[in-house]
Amino acid sequence: MSAEPTTKSLVCPVDHGGGTAQPTERRAVPATRFSTRTMTSEVLRRGFGREDGMVARLEGHDFARWRIGQRRWVSIQHPDDIDHVLHKHRENYPKSPDYEPLRGVLGLSLFTDDDPSWSRHRKMLNPKFQKRHVDALLPLMVGTVLEFRETLDNLPDGSEVEMVGLMTDLTLEVAGHSLFSQSFRGYFGDDTAELITEGLRKGTWLSRIFFLVDPPRWMSSAVWKVMHSRKIPTPPPFNRFQKVARVIDGAADKVLRERLAHPSDSPDLLNLLLEVADDDGPLTPDRTRAEAISFMLTGYETTANAMCWLWYLLALNPDARQRMLDEIDSVLQGRVVTLEDVPKLQWTTACLEESMRIFPPVWMITREAVEDDVIGGHPVKAGETVAIVIEHVHRDPRFWPDPGRFDPSRFLPGADRDRPRSSYLPFGGGKRICIGRNFALLEAVMLTATLSQNHVFDLVPGHQVEAETTFTLRPRQGIQMIARRRDQ
């Protein structure tokens, strides 16, 4: 995948063809069937393979089915069918066993839980993620980003930086201040980002093993509970994954103990979690810890990836970037970004959303059918796993004209009027849509505007960028960029 800059406004390094948006009217077409041998071989040789493996084969097929071992799969791509699974009949499609590895690290939280526990806790937490609470977190974020910007200011102009590492460190610090009103460094250590990255890769590798073996769900759950255990050691390579869970758990426990011993009136997320209660009582300590860990890991990892892909695509599209810089200069006038400024940064927000269309940080959703059903005229049996490859949906030319083009105008106000609801899924969909989406968008827009006031980031000539499918879609070998000071 070439990352050479260009002056053209059309640059998406993976060209999935052009086309004109079509209405959502459906014609019944046969399901595409892939052989067990082919798909098993792809998983063994290439993993999930977004460009040349199992996942790549699914693109362009509204409904496909296959089997790996004893596990039966279907994939869907049309927004109407996605609506069926995520909205209309969501009770029949809880999260699949593929989320068990994440339970091993995160514990039981909104991200990994299922009904009825999920419904109760979502109702408890929803009020705490209303706009007024999320907005109150902005001051906790801004100071961290300004410190980071000062670090960039102190570098020689034209310094080469590795953007994945920078954004990971930055978003981890922002998450720490938003969640705990303090840095994570004192609790997790300087190698936390590297440890978590390795844990994600190990988790993906382990999930491939379970993907092929397909043990009973109770057995899979038991294995991942052992991974999460602080008392039962595991052999290599499982021990590295277990270390990640233990480090995170231990640090979160320490923070919770300190907050309970020394309460504060900070508007941070931890205080919001400690305030949550319903008729059956507050969150348990285990649940509070699990939710805090989930917000930290899913928030920092996905935002870091979203920011990396944004800088990458902006570097490839200088006209769109210049329009963004002009908007930031006009709105902020050199000031620190405030809540009142964010709604005015429409093109900046559109650039972010377009980058998440092309490179969605969460690239696939899986659900498991509880009872027999019919999706788009195709039978689905109880126990089958339903896969939604978000990247394929986001690049479907029926709903995204010329989908290989970076075009932020798709996300300007009113542009989505005729777009199907489930054609854009960066935060999932239905009642299980990410509870932290407002926080993530606020953080990303603030971060983009703040850093862009002083710098632009260009790709190092000849540097190759490749996307890697772990639990998130991340740059495999990083993104080497040149930080240039702006002349204002």
Side-chain angles (χ1 to χ4, degrees), residues 19 54 70 85 161 165 219 221 255 269 276 291 334 393 421 426 431:
M54 185 197 80
Q70 296 302 307
V85 171
V161 297
M219 184 181 296
S221 179
V255 173
L269 285 170
V276 167
E291 297 294 357
V393 180
R421 172 172 57 180
K431 291 187 176 181

Side-chain angles (χ1 to χ4, degrees), residues 290-309:
E291 297 294 357
I293 291 171
S294 289
F295 294 143
M296 180 196 80
L297 293 187
T298 59
Y300 108 83
E301 167 69 13
T302 53
T303 303
N305 289 329
M307 293 307 306
C308 289
W309 293 123

Side-chain angles (χ1 to χ4, degrees), residues 1-50:
M1 184 187 303
S2 175
E4 292 293 334
T6 176
T7 58
K8 296 180 181 179
S9 61
L10 185 156
V11 184
C12 173
V14 180
D15 187 2
H16 290 245
T20 303
Q22 300 295 323
T24 61
E25 296 176 359
R26 307 289 301 280
R27 290 186 301 170
V29 295
T32 302
R33 293 181 180 271
F34 295 102
S35 75
T36 299
R37 179 179 179 180
T38 296
M39 298 303 258
T40 302
S41 173
E42 295 286 13
V43 171
L44 283 172
R45 292 187 300 116
R46 299 190 177 96
F48 301 119
R50 61 182 289 273

Side-chain angles (χ1 to χ4, degrees), residues 28-223:
V29 295
T32 302
R33 293 181 180 271
F34 295 102
S35 75
T36 299
R37 179 179 179 180
T38 296
M39 298 303 258
T40 302
S41 173
E42 295 286 13
V43 171
L44 283 172
R45 292 187 300 116
R46 299 190 177 96
F48 301 119
R50 61 182 289 273
E51 289 187 355
D52 60 355
M54 185 197 80
V55 170
R57 293 183 177 274
L58 305 177
E59 186 172 14
H61 301 285
D62 277 354
F63 192 95
R65 60 171 78 246
W66 69 97
R67 180 192 294 267
I68 295 180
Q70 296 302 307
R71 191 169 177 188
R72 294 168 294 145
W73 287 77
V74 301
S75 68
I76 56 176
Q77 182 171 320
H78 196 284
D80 291 352
D81 297 341
I82 297 170
D83 269 357
H84 180 99
V85 171
L86 299 184
H87 291 269
K88 298 175 184 176
H89 300 279
R90 74 169 191 88
E91 294 82 3
N92 193 49
Y93 296 96
K95 290 201 167 185
S96 74
D98 304 286
Y99 290 86
E100 290 294 343
L102 292 174
R103 289 188 183 98
V105 170
L106 304 179
L108 195 63
S109 66
L110 286 183
F111 189 68
T112 59
D113 199 1
D114 272 318
D115 284 329
S117 174
W118 177 86
S119 292
R120 181 207 168 200
H121 288 95
R122 180 76 183 224
K123 288 177 182 177
M124 293 172 72
L125 290 168
N126 265 339
K128 298 300 182 182
F129 282 83
Q130 291 177 350
K131 188 177 184 299
R132 64 186 178 90
H133 290 301
V134 172
D135 287 352
L137 297 172
L138 185 62
L140 297 176
M141 300 186 238
V142 170
T144 301
V145 181
L146 290 175
E147 289 180 10
F148 179 85
R149 189 176 74 180
E150 185 176 349
T151 301
L152 285 179
D153 289 342
N154 291 331
L155 293 176
D157 190 25
S159 292
E160 186 173 326
V161 297
E162 199 290 291
M163 192 57 73
V164 175
L166 286 182
M167 291 300 101
T168 297
D169 287 343
L170 176 57
T171 56
L172 187 61
E173 281 296 282
V174 171
H177 284 273
S178 302
L179 186 57
F180 300 147
S181 296
Q182 57 187 298
S183 172
F184 276 145
R185 297 301 179 192
Y187 296 95
F188 291 92
D190 291 336
D191 63 343
T192 303
E194 293 80 5
L195 181 69
I196 293 172
T197 295
E198 183 176 354
L200 287 167
R201 287 176 173 156
K202 291 290 186 185
T204 303
W205 181 83
L206 292 172
S207 69
R208 285 170 60 188
I209 301 299
F210 279 76
F211 198 87
L212 295 169
V213 175
D214 189 29
R217 191 156 188 169
W218 65 265
M219 184 181 296
S220 175
S221 179
V223 168

